[in-house]
Amino acid sequence: MNVATKILLVVLDGAADRPTVNRKTPLMAANLPFFDQLAREGIVGIMDVIAPGTPPGSDTAHLSLLGYSPKKVYTGRGPFEAAGVGIDVKPGDIAFRGNFATVKDGTVIDRRAGRINDTHRLAEAIREQVHLDCEFIFKESAGHRAALVLRGENLSPSITPTDPHHIGALLPSQPTTTGPSPQKTAKLVNDFTRQVRAILSDHPVNKKRSEAGELPANAILLRGAGVVPHLIPFEERTGLNAAVIAATALVIGIGKLTGMEYVPTTGATGHIDSNIDAKVKNVNRALKTHAFVLLNIKGADEAGHDGDFNTKAQFLTRVDAAMSELAIDESTLVVITADHTTPVSLREHSGDPVPFLIHGKGVRTDEINVFDEFFAALGGMNRIRGVDLVPVLTDLLGKGQKFGA
Ligand code: ZN
Ligand code: ZN
């Protein structure tokens, strides 16, 4: 074959940054011999994952990087979280992200219920005792997290969250547009909230927590309402059977909703302490049976949100070392990029473009020998949009969609 046959897309979540310490970014300060080698042998560029000046969320960014226009398919993060925690969501479902929280006299005093880590029995009580005028699925996930799905006719994601996002009143959900569907959905959410409050307040688990001086998990805060979109499976669009390797529910959910096989990794935490070696081993395995593998590594984003330059740079150094164990040859196109910029100076996502590199058979090279934000801007790929990445890659596999005669 004269072209590559497989693709490995590595998303270093939030790895891109702005010049900070000594006018360097964490990518510049990190020691990245492997990525630099890929950049030297391959081609680099910068990418507006959504659009110039638009700070992407991880969800919309990953959709875009997989070739789905987020403007067309995205209404909220709930559907991806719900799919990611293992709920079998269906197009048309309304899904929410949820938190177990502590409410006192109508005020949310802790959005994470004292960082509770086992909510199984509380979730079971919710599943058994809540009754709504529609079908619902509630599932707990790691720590204080949970997801809720409402299923039925005439439901809408156009409602406000019950989560105040900080210490404050537990909010009633309200429709944000006119019409019967948003009104009905807001009422269902408020019914759910009210019943959950009653069930959890009297629950033995919470009585025990209170007695032990711990905060009771006596409410569920809902946010991120979205309608589960109809996504054409990735394999149908590209001809590539795909796998996703990630630790965060959001990215796992995007993989599942686009028809990818989720390959779990023991020790992958989604944090700085994540077992990256285990993930790399999983990638090596997955590439034997899949033509496309999406690997998300979350830690750098976390360090960005913490405003911790050194931790971010050190984490990237560790990722580079782990990735050098990739068992790949020229027949696998490797892409290294980020889903967005998370500057340590902002502790939030920004709209700066991200660097990317492509390495593998058939790739034109350029004169850049280093992987970072500044050299990427001088590279042969120039500046592209996120949704154009997959077409660029499939064309390199000889699967480009010809336009014209
Ligand atoms: Zn992200
Ligand atoms: Zn982030």
Side-chain angles (χ1 to χ4, degrees), residues 96-103 108 110-111 113 116 119 122-123 126 130 138-140 144-148 161-164 170-171 189-190 192-198 200 216-223:
F96 306 79
R97 197 174 183 212
N99 270 22
F100 281 86
T102 307
V103 171
V108 179
D110 190 331
R111 290 184 63 249
I116 188 167
T119 58
L122 297 172
I126 290 171
V130 170
F138 179 81
K139 197 164 191 287
E140 71 279 22
H144 58 279
R145 299 177 190 85
L148 173 72
T162 66
D163 186 345
L170 173 62
L171 302 168
V189 164
N190 293 330
F192 176 84
T193 304
R194 204 174 309 120
Q195 291 182 44
V196 165
R197 288 278 292 128
L200 295 188
N218 58 11
I220 300 291
L221 310 179
L222 297 171
R223 65 187 194 278

mmCIF file of all heavy atoms in Angstrom, residues 96-103 108 110-111 113 116 119 122-123 126 130 138-140 144-148 161-164 170-171 189-190 192-198 200 216-223:
data_model
loop_
_atom_site.group_PDB
_atom_site.id
_atom_site.type_symbol
_atom_site.label_atom_id
_atom_site.label_comp_id
_atom_site.label_asym_id
_atom_site.label_seq_id
_atom_site.Cartn_x
_atom_site.Cartn_y
_atom_site.Cartn_z
ATOM 1 N N PHE A 96 -29.386 15.207 31.143
ATOM 2 C CA PHE A 96 -28.785 16.215 32.030
ATOM 3 C C PHE A 96 -27.593 15.612 32.740
ATOM 4 O O PHE A 96 -27.530 14.427 32.998
ATOM 5 C CB PHE A 96 -29.769 16.635 33.142
ATOM 6 C CG PHE A 96 -31.101 17.109 32.666
ATOM 7 C CD1 PHE A 96 -32.074 16.205 32.284
ATOM 8 C CD2 PHE A 96 -31.373 18.463 32.607
ATOM 9 C CE1 PHE A 96 -33.320 16.644 31.850
ATOM 10 C CE2 PHE A 96 -32.613 18.914 32.172
ATOM 11 C CZ PHE A 96 -33.589 18.003 31.794
ATOM 12 N N ARG A 97 -26.706 16.478 33.105
ATOM 13 C CA ARG A 97 -25.658 16.143 34.024
ATOM 14 C C ARG A 97 -26.185 16.442 35.423
ATOM 15 O O ARG A 97 -26.885 17.443 35.607
ATOM 16 C CB ARG A 97 -24.538 17.115 33.697
ATOM 17 C CG ARG A 97 -23.262 16.745 34.217
ATOM 18 C CD ARG A 97 -22.225 17.700 33.710
ATOM 19 N NE ARG A 97 -21.005 17.169 34.232
ATOM 20 C CZ ARG A 97 -19.963 17.869 34.575
ATOM 21 N NH1 ARG A 97 -19.963 19.157 34.391
ATOM 22 N NH2 ARG A 97 -18.908 17.296 35.060
ATOM 23 N N GLY A 98 -25.873 15.597 36.386
ATOM 24 C CA GLY A 98 -26.381 15.829 37.726
ATOM 25 C C GLY A 98 -25.280 15.784 38.772
ATOM 26 O O GLY A 98 -24.233 15.176 38.571
ATOM 27 N N ASN A 99 -25.546 16.443 39.897
ATOM 28 C CA ASN A 99 -24.655 16.420 41.066
ATOM 29 C C ASN A 99 -25.466 16.037 42.284
ATOM 30 O O ASN A 99 -26.538 16.613 42.501
ATOM 31 C CB ASN A 99 -24.130 17.828 41.386
ATOM 32 C CG ASN A 99 -22.854 18.157 40.691
ATOM 33 O OD1 ASN A 99 -22.534 17.559 39.679
ATOM 34 N ND2 ASN A 99 -22.136 19.125 41.236
ATOM 35 N N PHE A 100 -24.958 15.128 43.099
ATOM 36 C CA PHE A 100 -25.480 15.004 44.451
ATOM 37 C C PHE A 100 -24.976 16.219 45.217
ATOM 38 O O PHE A 100 -23.770 16.540 45.150
ATOM 39 C CB PHE A 100 -24.980 13.723 45.109
ATOM 40 C CG PHE A 100 -25.734 12.498 44.664
ATOM 41 C CD1 PHE A 100 -25.368 11.810 43.519
ATOM 42 C CD2 PHE A 100 -26.826 12.041 45.390
ATOM 43 C CE1 PHE A 100 -26.067 10.679 43.105
ATOM 44 C CE2 PHE A 100 -27.534 10.913 44.988
ATOM 45 C CZ PHE A 100 -27.154 10.232 43.842
ATOM 46 N N ALA A 101 -25.874 16.893 45.924
ATOM 47 C CA ALA A 101 -25.490 18.129 46.614
ATOM 48 C C ALA A 101 -26.151 18.194 47.981
ATOM 49 O O ALA A 101 -27.016 17.391 48.302
ATOM 50 C CB ALA A 101 -25.920 19.334 45.777
ATOM 51 N N THR A 102 -25.693 19.164 48.768
ATOM 52 C CA THR A 102 -26.289 19.388 50.085
ATOM 53 C C THR A 102 -27.091 20.686 50.051
ATOM 54 O O THR A 102 -26.548 21.745 49.730
ATOM 55 C CB THR A 102 -25.199 19.493 51.165
ATOM 56 O OG1 THR A 102 -24.361 18.342 51.064
ATOM 57 C CG2 THR A 102 -25.813 19.578 52.545
ATOM 58 N N VAL A 103 -28.372 20.559 50.374
ATOM 59 C CA VAL A 103 -29.251 21.723 50.412
ATOM 60 C C VAL A 103 -29.762 21.902 51.836
ATOM 61 O O VAL A 103 -30.135 20.931 52.493
ATOM 62 C CB VAL A 103 -30.436 21.550 49.431
ATOM 63 C CG1 VAL A 103 -31.471 22.656 49.615
ATOM 64 C CG2 VAL A 103 -29.944 21.526 47.989
ATOM 65 N N VAL A 108 -28.305 25.767 48.360
ATOM 66 C CA VAL A 108 -27.261 24.778 48.090
ATOM 67 C C VAL A 108 -26.019 25.206 48.860
ATOM 68 O O VAL A 108 -25.400 26.227 48.539
ATOM 69 C CB VAL A 108 -26.947 24.709 46.580
ATOM 70 C CG1 VAL A 108 -25.840 23.691 46.317
ATOM 71 C CG2 VAL A 108 -28.190 24.377 45.782
ATOM 72 N N ASP A 110 -23.403 22.937 49.577
ATOM 73 C CA ASP A 110 -22.244 22.240 48.990
ATOM 74 C C ASP A 110 -22.694 21.537 47.710
ATOM 75 O O ASP A 110 -23.529 20.632 47.766
ATOM 76 C CB ASP A 110 -21.652 21.237 49.988
ATOM 77 C CG ASP A 110 -20.316 20.670 49.500
ATOM 78 O OD1 ASP A 110 -20.114 20.589 48.264
ATOM 79 O OD2 ASP A 110 -19.482 20.312 50.338
ATOM 80 N N ARG A 111 -22.128 21.933 46.586
ATOM 81 C CA ARG A 111 -22.537 21.384 45.291
ATOM 82 C C ARG A 111 -22.059 19.951 45.097
ATOM 83 O O ARG A 111 -22.415 19.304 44.129
ATOM 84 C CB ARG A 111 -22.011 22.254 44.147
ATOM 85 C CG ARG A 111 -22.701 23.609 44.077
ATOM 86 C CD ARG A 111 -22.240 24.425 42.889
ATOM 87 N NE ARG A 111 -22.560 23.804 41.629
ATOM 88 C CZ ARG A 111 -21.670 23.282 40.793
ATOM 89 N NH1 ARG A 111 -20.395 23.306 41.103
ATOM 90 N NH2 ARG A 111 -22.046 22.739 39.666
ATOM 91 N N ALA A 113 -21.888 17.669 47.914
ATOM 92 C CA ALA A 113 -22.295 16.899 49.093
ATOM 93 C C ALA A 113 -21.099 16.373 49.871
ATOM 94 O O ALA A 113 -20.974 15.177 50.144
ATOM 95 C CB ALA A 113 -23.201 15.739 48.676
ATOM 96 N N ILE A 116 -18.932 13.341 48.486
ATOM 97 C CA ILE A 116 -19.403 11.973 48.724
ATOM 98 C C ILE A 116 -18.837 11.056 47.634
ATOM 99 O O ILE A 116 -18.683 11.480 46.484
ATOM 100 C CB ILE A 116 -20.950 11.948 48.716
ATOM 101 C CG1 ILE A 116 -21.477 10.585 49.153
ATOM 102 C CG2 ILE A 116 -21.525 12.331 47.346
ATOM 103 C CD1 ILE A 116 -22.975 10.580 49.471
ATOM 104 N N THR A 119 -22.650 6.775 46.123
ATOM 105 C CA THR A 119 -24.042 7.235 46.062
ATOM 106 C C THR A 119 -24.973 6.126 45.582
ATOM 107 O O THR A 119 -26.120 6.390 45.224
ATOM 108 C CB THR A 119 -24.160 8.439 45.102
ATOM 109 O OG1 THR A 119 -23.688 8.023 43.813
ATOM 110 C CG2 THR A 119 -23.354 9.620 45.581
ATOM 111 N N LEU A 122 -28.341 5.685 47.409
ATOM 112 C CA LEU A 122 -29.178 6.874 47.210
ATOM 113 C C LEU A 122 -29.770 6.851 45.801
ATOM 114 O O LEU A 122 -30.948 7.154 45.590
ATOM 115 C CB LEU A 122 -28.345 8.140 47.420
ATOM 116 C CG LEU A 122 -27.766 8.327 48.834
ATOM 117 C CD1 LEU A 122 -26.806 9.512 48.856
ATOM 118 C CD2 LEU A 122 -28.889 8.524 49.853
ATOM 119 N N ALA A 123 -28.937 6.492 44.828
ATOM 120 C CA ALA A 123 -29.395 6.449 43.439
ATOM 121 C C ALA A 123 -30.472 5.378 43.269
ATOM 122 O O ALA A 123 -31.451 5.568 42.548
ATOM 123 C CB ALA A 123 -28.218 6.178 42.502
ATOM 124 N N ILE A 126 -33.722 6.674 44.389
ATOM 125 C CA ILE A 126 -34.301 7.586 43.386
ATOM 126 C C ILE A 126 -34.962 6.771 42.268
ATOM 127 O O ILE A 126 -36.094 7.046 41.864
ATOM 128 C CB ILE A 126 -33.206 8.524 42.826
ATOM 129 C CG1 ILE A 126 -32.776 9.521 43.912
ATOM 130 C CG2 ILE A 126 -33.703 9.256 41.581
ATOM 131 C CD1 ILE A 126 -31.562 10.358 43.543
ATOM 132 N N VAL A 130 -39.012 7.571 42.720
ATOM 133 C CA VAL A 130 -39.474 8.751 41.976
ATOM 134 C C VAL A 130 -40.466 8.297 40.902
ATOM 135 O O VAL A 130 -40.238 7.294 40.222
ATOM 136 C CB VAL A 130 -38.293 9.501 41.334
ATOM 137 C CG1 VAL A 130 -38.783 10.573 40.368
ATOM 138 C CG2 VAL A 130 -37.400 10.120 42.399
ATOM 139 N N PHE A 138 -32.025 7.254 35.651
ATOM 140 C CA PHE A 138 -31.086 7.984 36.504
ATOM 141 C C PHE A 138 -29.926 7.067 36.830
ATOM 142 O O PHE A 138 -30.115 5.917 37.192
ATOM 143 C CB PHE A 138 -31.778 8.431 37.797
ATOM 144 C CG PHE A 138 -30.867 9.170 38.729
ATOM 145 C CD1 PHE A 138 -30.597 10.513 38.523
ATOM 146 C CD2 PHE A 138 -30.256 8.523 39.794
ATOM 147 C CE1 PHE A 138 -29.738 11.201 39.374
ATOM 148 C CE2 PHE A 138 -29.391 9.201 40.637
ATOM 149 C CZ PHE A 138 -29.131 10.544 40.421
ATOM 150 N N LYS A 139 -28.711 7.571 36.649
ATOM 151 C CA LYS A 139 -27.555 6.727 36.939
ATOM 152 C C LYS A 139 -26.475 7.538 37.654
ATOM 153 O O LYS A 139 -26.145 8.657 37.239
ATOM 154 C CB LYS A 139 -26.993 6.145 35.636
ATOM 155 C CG LYS A 139 -26.062 4.962 35.862
ATOM 156 C CD LYS A 139 -25.865 4.192 34.554
ATOM 157 C CE LYS A 139 -25.180 2.864 34.777
ATOM 158 N NZ LYS A 139 -23.773 2.936 35.090
ATOM 159 N N GLU A 140 -25.962 6.948 38.723
ATOM 160 C CA GLU A 140 -24.856 7.599 39.431
ATOM 161 C C GLU A 140 -23.555 7.284 38.710
ATOM 162 O O GLU A 140 -23.446 6.265 38.036
ATOM 163 C CB GLU A 140 -24.793 7.104 40.888
ATOM 164 C CG GLU A 140 -24.319 5.667 41.075
ATOM 165 C CD GLU A 140 -25.419 4.620 40.847
ATOM 166 O OE1 GLU A 140 -26.405 4.932 40.156
ATOM 167 O OE2 GLU A 140 -25.255 3.501 41.341
ATOM 168 N N HIS A 144 -19.556 12.472 43.236
ATOM 169 C CA HIS A 144 -20.865 13.104 43.435
ATOM 170 C C HIS A 144 -21.667 13.175 42.138
ATOM 171 O O HIS A 144 -22.747 13.731 42.103
ATOM 172 C CB HIS A 144 -20.620 14.524 43.959
ATOM 173 C CG HIS A 144 -19.770 15.325 43.008
ATOM 174 N ND1 HIS A 144 -18.394 15.220 42.967
ATOM 175 C CD2 HIS A 144 -20.113 16.177 42.012
ATOM 176 C CE1 HIS A 144 -17.930 16.010 42.010
ATOM 177 N NE2 HIS A 144 -18.942 16.584 41.420
ATOM 178 N N ARG A 145 -21.107 12.643 41.055
ATOM 179 C CA ARG A 145 -21.707 12.857 39.732
ATOM 180 C C ARG A 145 -22.823 11.868 39.407
ATOM 181 O O ARG A 145 -22.846 10.752 39.903
ATOM 182 C CB ARG A 145 -20.629 12.774 38.650
ATOM 183 C CG ARG A 145 -19.547 13.810 38.818
ATOM 184 C CD ARG A 145 -18.459 13.650 37.769
ATOM 185 N NE ARG A 145 -17.318 14.483 38.080
ATOM 186 C CZ ARG A 145 -16.327 14.124 38.912
ATOM 187 N NH1 ARG A 145 -16.350 12.938 39.480
ATOM 188 N NH2 ARG A 145 -15.325 14.946 39.152
ATOM 189 N N ALA A 146 -23.704 12.316 38.512
ATOM 190 C CA ALA A 146 -24.810 11.469 38.073
ATOM 191 C C ALA A 146 -25.326 12.006 36.739
ATOM 192 O O ALA A 146 -24.882 13.060 36.271
ATOM 193 C CB ALA A 146 -25.923 11.478 39.108
ATOM 194 N N ALA A 147 -26.234 11.247 36.137
ATOM 195 C CA ALA A 147 -26.869 11.716 34.897
ATOM 196 C C ALA A 147 -28.335 11.336 34.927
ATOM 197 O O ALA A 147 -28.721 10.323 35.511
ATOM 198 C CB ALA A 147 -26.179 11.105 33.686
ATOM 199 N N LEU A 148 -29.150 12.182 34.320
ATOM 200 C CA LEU A 148 -30.588 11.941 34.230
ATOM 201 C C LEU A 148 -31.023 12.036 32.772
ATOM 202 O O LEU A 148 -30.606 12.944 32.049
ATOM 203 C CB LEU A 148 -31.359 12.990 35.057
ATOM 204 C CG LEU A 148 -32.890 12.952 34.903
ATOM 205 C CD1 LEU A 148 -33.484 11.725 35.601
ATOM 206 C CD2 LEU A 148 -33.529 14.229 35.440
ATOM 207 N N PRO A 161 -31.229 25.425 34.127
ATOM 208 C CA PRO A 161 -30.745 24.426 35.089
ATOM 209 C C PRO A 161 -31.278 24.700 36.498
ATOM 210 O O PRO A 161 -31.668 25.823 36.807
ATOM 211 C CB PRO A 161 -29.226 24.612 35.045
ATOM 212 C CG PRO A 161 -29.010 26.005 34.561
ATOM 213 C CD PRO A 161 -30.179 26.357 33.693
ATOM 214 N N THR A 162 -31.284 23.657 37.326
ATOM 215 C CA THR A 162 -31.639 23.850 38.739
ATOM 216 C C THR A 162 -30.392 24.134 39.574
ATOM 217 O O THR A 162 -30.478 24.524 40.723
ATOM 218 C CB THR A 162 -32.334 22.595 39.314
ATOM 219 O OG1 THR A 162 -31.390 21.517 39.342
ATOM 220 C CG2 THR A 162 -33.539 22.201 38.476
ATOM 221 N N ASP A 163 -29.244 23.912 38.960
ATOM 222 C CA ASP A 163 -27.950 24.088 39.628
ATOM 223 C C ASP A 163 -27.566 25.566 39.628
ATOM 224 O O ASP A 163 -27.404 26.161 38.564
ATOM 225 C CB ASP A 163 -26.904 23.270 38.851
ATOM 226 C CG ASP A 163 -25.555 23.267 39.529
ATOM 227 O OD1 ASP A 163 -25.316 24.098 40.426
ATOM 228 O OD2 ASP A 163 -24.725 22.428 39.139
ATOM 229 N N PRO A 164 -27.408 26.184 40.816
ATOM 230 C CA PRO A 164 -27.028 27.605 40.831
ATOM 231 C C PRO A 164 -25.556 27.825 40.450
ATOM 232 O O PRO A 164 -25.121 28.954 40.297
ATOM 233 C CB PRO A 164 -27.286 28.018 42.283
ATOM 234 C CG PRO A 164 -27.161 26.757 43.071
ATOM 235 C CD PRO A 164 -27.595 25.630 42.169
ATOM 236 N N LEU A 170 -31.380 26.698 45.458
ATOM 237 C CA LEU A 170 -31.698 25.628 44.520
ATOM 238 C C LEU A 170 -32.762 26.199 43.593
ATOM 239 O O LEU A 170 -33.820 26.626 44.043
ATOM 240 C CB LEU A 170 -32.221 24.403 45.281
ATOM 241 C CG LEU A 170 -32.761 23.230 44.483
ATOM 242 C CD1 LEU A 170 -31.677 22.624 43.599
ATOM 243 C CD2 LEU A 170 -33.319 22.156 45.414
ATOM 244 N N LEU A 171 -32.458 26.228 42.290
ATOM 245 C CA LEU A 171 -33.309 26.983 41.368
ATOM 246 C C LEU A 171 -34.440 26.127 40.797
ATOM 247 O O LEU A 171 -34.232 24.952 40.503
ATOM 248 C CB LEU A 171 -32.460 27.529 40.214
ATOM 249 C CG LEU A 171 -31.289 28.426 40.623
ATOM 250 C CD1 LEU A 171 -30.357 28.649 39.442
ATOM 251 C CD2 LEU A 171 -31.819 29.745 41.159
ATOM 252 N N VAL A 189 -38.780 18.334 35.444
ATOM 253 C CA VAL A 189 -37.532 18.528 36.192
ATOM 254 C C VAL A 189 -37.832 18.985 37.617
ATOM 255 O O VAL A 189 -37.227 18.501 38.582
ATOM 256 C CB VAL A 189 -36.618 19.546 35.450
ATOM 257 C CG1 VAL A 189 -35.515 20.058 36.358
ATOM 258 C CG2 VAL A 189 -36.034 18.894 34.199
ATOM 259 N N ASN A 190 -38.788 19.878 37.767
ATOM 260 C CA ASN A 190 -39.130 20.367 39.106
ATOM 261 C C ASN A 190 -39.792 19.281 39.953
ATOM 262 O O ASN A 190 -39.549 19.183 41.154
ATOM 263 C CB ASN A 190 -40.011 21.614 39.007
ATOM 264 C CG ASN A 190 -39.237 22.788 38.415
ATOM 265 O OD1 ASN A 190 -38.012 22.873 38.597
ATOM 266 N ND2 ASN A 190 -39.912 23.665 37.689
ATOM 267 N N PHE A 192 -39.161 16.094 39.604
ATOM 268 C CA PHE A 192 -38.040 15.207 39.943
ATOM 269 C C PHE A 192 -37.281 15.774 41.146
ATOM 270 O O PHE A 192 -37.025 15.081 42.126
ATOM 271 C CB PHE A 192 -37.115 15.067 38.729
ATOM 272 C CG PHE A 192 -35.879 14.245 38.987
ATOM 273 C CD1 PHE A 192 -35.918 12.856 38.899
ATOM 274 C CD2 PHE A 192 -34.672 14.853 39.322
ATOM 275 C CE1 PHE A 192 -34.776 12.091 39.146
ATOM 276 C CE2 PHE A 192 -33.535 14.099 39.577
ATOM 277 C CZ PHE A 192 -33.591 12.716 39.485
ATOM 278 N N THR A 193 -36.966 17.048 41.084
ATOM 279 C CA THR A 193 -36.183 17.698 42.138
ATOM 280 C C THR A 193 -36.902 17.607 43.483
ATOM 281 O O THR A 193 -36.299 17.286 44.509
ATOM 282 C CB THR A 193 -35.933 19.175 41.775
ATOM 283 O OG1 THR A 193 -35.302 19.208 40.489
ATOM 284 C CG2 THR A 193 -35.037 19.870 42.779
ATOM 285 N N ARG A 194 -38.200 17.876 43.447
ATOM 286 C CA ARG A 194 -38.998 17.877 44.675
ATOM 287 C C ARG A 194 -39.049 16.469 45.282
ATOM 288 O O ARG A 194 -38.801 16.293 46.472
ATOM 289 C CB ARG A 194 -40.421 18.366 44.365
ATOM 290 C CG ARG A 194 -41.158 18.944 45.555
ATOM 291 C CD ARG A 194 -42.505 19.551 45.151
ATOM 292 N NE ARG A 194 -42.386 20.477 44.027
ATOM 293 C CZ ARG A 194 -43.014 20.331 42.834
ATOM 294 N NH1 ARG A 194 -43.771 19.292 42.612
ATOM 295 N NH2 ARG A 194 -42.861 21.228 41.878
ATOM 296 N N GLN A 195 -39.327 15.475 44.446
ATOM 297 C CA GLN A 195 -39.421 14.093 44.959
ATOM 298 C C GLN A 195 -38.072 13.612 45.495
ATOM 299 O O GLN A 195 -37.999 12.962 46.530
ATOM 300 C CB GLN A 195 -39.915 13.158 43.857
ATOM 301 C CG GLN A 195 -41.376 13.396 43.484
ATOM 302 C CD GLN A 195 -41.855 12.416 42.412
ATOM 303 O OE1 GLN A 195 -41.584 11.227 42.473
ATOM 304 N NE2 GLN A 195 -42.556 12.941 41.414
ATOM 305 N N VAL A 196 -37.003 13.956 44.773
ATOM 306 C CA VAL A 196 -35.658 13.542 45.198
ATOM 307 C C VAL A 196 -35.329 14.147 46.566
ATOM 308 O O VAL A 196 -34.803 13.463 47.449
ATOM 309 C CB VAL A 196 -34.597 13.952 44.153
ATOM 310 C CG1 VAL A 196 -33.196 13.876 44.741
ATOM 311 C CG2 VAL A 196 -34.702 13.063 42.920
ATOM 312 N N ARG A 197 -35.680 15.399 46.755
ATOM 313 C CA ARG A 197 -35.420 16.063 48.045
ATOM 314 C C ARG A 197 -36.080 15.289 49.183
ATOM 315 O O ARG A 197 -35.462 15.034 50.221
ATOM 316 C CB ARG A 197 -35.968 17.501 48.023
ATOM 317 C CG ARG A 197 -35.186 18.460 47.171
ATOM 318 C CD ARG A 197 -33.972 19.019 47.875
ATOM 319 N NE ARG A 197 -34.322 19.892 48.984
ATOM 320 C CZ ARG A 197 -33.864 19.773 50.215
ATOM 321 N NH1 ARG A 197 -33.028 18.795 50.512
ATOM 322 N NH2 ARG A 197 -34.204 20.617 51.162
ATOM 323 N N ALA A 198 -37.353 14.906 48.955
ATOM 324 C CA ALA A 198 -38.095 14.198 50.000
ATOM 325 C C ALA A 198 -37.489 12.818 50.258
ATOM 326 O O ALA A 198 -37.301 12.427 51.417
ATOM 327 C CB ALA A 198 -39.558 14.078 49.588
ATOM 328 N N LEU A 200 -34.398 11.638 49.576
ATOM 329 C CA LEU A 200 -33.019 11.629 50.080
ATOM 330 C C LEU A 200 -32.924 12.186 51.505
ATOM 331 O O LEU A 200 -32.077 11.754 52.291
ATOM 332 C CB LEU A 200 -32.083 12.396 49.149
ATOM 333 C CG LEU A 200 -31.888 11.815 47.737
ATOM 334 C CD1 LEU A 200 -30.784 12.570 47.011
ATOM 335 C CD2 LEU A 200 -31.576 10.324 47.760
ATOM 336 N N PRO A 216 -25.043 15.755 54.286
ATOM 337 C CA PRO A 216 -25.939 14.820 53.609
ATOM 338 C C PRO A 216 -26.050 15.135 52.115
ATOM 339 O O PRO A 216 -25.973 16.285 51.712
ATOM 340 C CB PRO A 216 -27.284 15.059 54.311
ATOM 341 C CG PRO A 216 -27.217 16.466 54.799
ATOM 342 C CD PRO A 216 -25.772 16.724 55.137
ATOM 343 N N ALA A 217 -26.184 14.056 51.302
ATOM 344 C CA ALA A 217 -26.418 14.248 49.855
ATOM 345 C C ALA A 217 -27.922 14.217 49.663
ATOM 346 O O ALA A 217 -28.500 13.182 49.359
ATOM 347 C CB ALA A 217 -25.729 13.134 49.076
ATOM 348 N N ASN A 218 -28.561 15.374 49.869
ATOM 349 C CA ASN A 218 -30.021 15.383 49.938
ATOM 350 C C ASN A 218 -30.700 16.091 48.771
ATOM 351 O O ASN A 218 -31.868 16.449 48.840
ATOM 352 C CB ASN A 218 -30.472 15.993 51.271
ATOM 353 C CG ASN A 218 -29.944 17.409 51.447
ATOM 354 O OD1 ASN A 218 -29.424 17.993 50.498
ATOM 355 N ND2 ASN A 218 -30.078 17.950 52.642
ATOM 356 N N ALA A 219 -29.942 16.306 47.686
ATOM 357 C CA ALA A 219 -30.557 16.922 46.502
ATOM 358 C C ALA A 219 -29.767 16.535 45.259
ATOM 359 O O ALA A 219 -28.589 16.155 45.356
ATOM 360 C CB ALA A 219 -30.581 18.450 46.644
ATOM 361 N N ILE A 220 -30.429 16.613 44.113
ATOM 362 C CA ILE A 220 -29.735 16.456 42.832
ATOM 363 C C ILE A 220 -29.848 17.781 42.092
ATOM 364 O O ILE A 220 -30.958 18.307 41.894
ATOM 365 C CB ILE A 220 -30.382 15.347 41.963
ATOM 366 C CG1 ILE A 220 -30.337 13.986 42.673
ATOM 367 C CG2 ILE A 220 -29.693 15.269 40.599
ATOM 368 C CD1 ILE A 220 -28.958 13.386 42.810
ATOM 369 N N LEU A 221 -28.684 18.331 41.712
ATOM 370 C CA LEU A 221 -28.668 19.543 40.895
ATOM 371 C C LEU A 221 -28.532 19.114 39.436
ATOM 372 O O LEU A 221 -27.698 18.276 39.111
ATOM 373 C CB LEU A 221 -27.478 20.432 41.261
ATOM 374 C CG LEU A 221 -27.264 20.753 42.744
ATOM 375 C CD1 LEU A 221 -26.022 21.637 42.907
ATOM 376 C CD2 LEU A 221 -28.489 21.451 43.318
ATOM 377 N N LEU A 222 -29.350 19.697 38.575
ATOM 378 C CA LEU A 222 -29.313 19.324 37.153
ATOM 379 C C LEU A 222 -28.843 20.484 36.297
ATOM 380 O O LEU A 222 -29.200 21.645 36.548
ATOM 381 C CB LEU A 222 -30.705 18.877 36.707
ATOM 382 C CG LEU A 222 -31.244 17.624 37.411
ATOM 383 C CD1 LEU A 222 -32.704 17.398 37.045
ATOM 384 C CD2 LEU A 222 -30.395 16.398 37.064
ATOM 385 N N ARG A 223 -28.050 20.160 35.294
ATOM 386 C CA ARG A 223 -27.578 21.181 34.363
ATOM 387 C C ARG A 223 -27.202 20.524 33.038
ATOM 388 O O ARG A 223 -27.233 19.313 32.901
ATOM 389 C CB ARG A 223 -26.379 21.933 34.932
ATOM 390 C CG ARG A 223 -25.137 21.087 35.138
ATOM 391 C CD ARG A 223 -24.094 21.944 35.860
ATOM 392 N NE ARG A 223 -22.772 21.367 35.836
ATOM 393 C CZ ARG A 223 -22.349 20.415 36.677
ATOM 394 N NH1 ARG A 223 -23.190 19.897 37.557
ATOM 395 N NH2 ARG A 223 -21.123 19.960 36.613
#
